[in-house]
Amino acid sequence: MEMKKRINLELRDRAPEEVTELVLDNCLCVNGEIEGLNDTFKKLEFLSMANVELSSLARLPSLNKLRKLELSDNIISGGLEVLAEKCPNLTYLNLSGNKIKDLSTVEALQNLKNLKSLDLFNCEITNLEDYRESIFELLQQITYLDGFDQEDNEAPDSEEEDDEDGDEDDEEEEEDEAGPPEGYEEEEEEEEDEDEDEDEDEAGSELGEGEEEVGLSYLMKEEIQDEEDDDDYVEEGEEEEEEEEEGVRGEKRKRDAEDDGEEEDD
């Protein structure tokens, strides 16, 4: 597919001035040059043209807001001075897999004052002795070369780079969110006091129930003892009556015996 047709598809019924990202990978350039990309893409911040057989940047439009430019796997061998003129605010540039051989070719990037990250993977220039040291010395504004800084620390993801500006604000917001709201501690203490009161009430109620049970059982025992005492009283009364009856009978027998004796004397 030609690049011009691909651009029309990527617009998706949007005006060019509304587009902030444009991916044109694997399209074919006509005569090794860009077609369909013009100055109307005023808000474009990310542009990717990987493997499009691009050999020249001469027709690159002015993209003042462009920050990231992907040009990997093309046939670019020079003409990089155009980038400082057309895309002065670039922070990331990927030229890996191109025909860049000499330090003099890269020297043209010195005018990209905001450039922080440069990729030259699979370019012949990487075979030079002291390649990394030379590039860092030549382009002192960059922090990362081929994904690593001078101390071999890996570069953060592009998304993390985008978020760097807002990190401090986010941290402050997180701290605010982490802290308890005003009055929260007082409410918590009040709730704890209420819970303790409830526990005491429950304990008291349980104790009261226990006391009631003890009191009931005590009364029941008293009633049982009273009944037993009554029974004992009844039994003792009966015994006394029986003894009285026996006494009466004995006296009667004695009298009868005396009467019989008197009759015999007569």
Side-chain angles (χ1 to χ4, degrees), residues 61-256:
S62 295
L63 303 169
N64 290 328
K65 289 194 175 182
L66 193 68
R67 297 179 58 206
K68 298 181 181 181
L69 180 59
E70 291 271 0
L71 296 173
S72 59
D73 301 319
N74 285 294
I75 49 178
I76 299 169
S77 58
L80 300 183
E81 61 276 357
V82 173
L83 293 174
E85 179 186 348
K86 301 294 184 66
C87 311
N89 293 309
L90 275 183
T91 60
Y92 172 82
L93 176 62
N94 189 348
L95 290 169
S96 58
N98 278 276
K99 304 298 182 181
I100 298 171
K101 302 177 182 180
D102 306 317
L103 289 172
S104 59
T105 304
V106 178
E107 188 176 0
L109 300 176
Q110 288 179 335
N111 293 324
L112 286 172
K113 303 301 182 183
N114 297 316
L115 189 64
K116 299 299 179 186
S117 181
L118 174 65
D119 284 346
L120 295 171
F121 282 122
N122 298 324
C123 293
E124 289 186 40
I125 192 174
T126 60
N127 297 323
L128 295 176
E129 188 177 355
D130 298 329
Y131 152 69
R132 288 182 60 81
E133 292 80 357
S134 300
I135 294 294
F136 277 117
E137 184 177 352
L138 185 65
L139 304 175
Q140 296 186 7
Q141 78 273 32
I142 70 171
T143 304
Y144 300 100
L145 176 62
D146 300 334
F148 293 87
D149 65 11
Q150 287 180 279
E151 284 75 32
D152 290 331
N153 296 313
E154 190 172 2
D157 293 337
S158 58
E159 292 181 359
E160 292 179 1
E161 290 177 1
D162 291 340
D163 294 339
E164 281 181 359
D165 295 337
D167 283 347
E168 294 181 359
D169 295 337
D170 294 341
E171 289 176 359
E172 291 178 359
E173 290 178 1
E174 288 176 0
E175 289 178 358
D176 293 340
E177 291 176 358
E182 293 182 1
Y184 176 78
E185 294 181 356
E186 295 179 359
E187 292 178 0
E188 190 173 289
E189 290 177 357
E190 291 177 359
E191 291 178 358
E192 289 178 356
D193 294 339
E194 290 177 0
D195 293 338
E196 289 178 358
D197 294 340
E198 290 178 0
D199 293 339
E200 291 177 358
D201 293 342
E202 290 177 0
S205 62
E206 290 177 358
L207 183 61
E209 291 176 0
E211 289 176 350
E212 289 178 2
E213 290 179 0
V214 172
L216 289 172
S217 60
Y218 179 76
L219 291 173
M220 291 174 68
K221 286 179 182 177
E222 283 191 346
E223 290 178 359
I224 292 170
Q225 290 177 353
D226 291 343
E227 290 177 358
E228 290 177 352
D229 294 340
D230 292 342
D231 292 340
D232 293 341
Y233 178 77
V234 171
E235 290 176 358
E236 290 176 357
E238 291 177 353
E239 289 178 356
E240 291 177 355
E241 290 177 358
E242 288 177 357
E243 289 177 356
E244 289 178 357
E245 289 178 356
E246 288 179 358
V248 171
R249 289 174 186 170
E251 289 179 357
K252 186 177 180 181
R253 286 175 187 168
K254 188 176 181 181
R255 289 175 184 172
D256 292 340

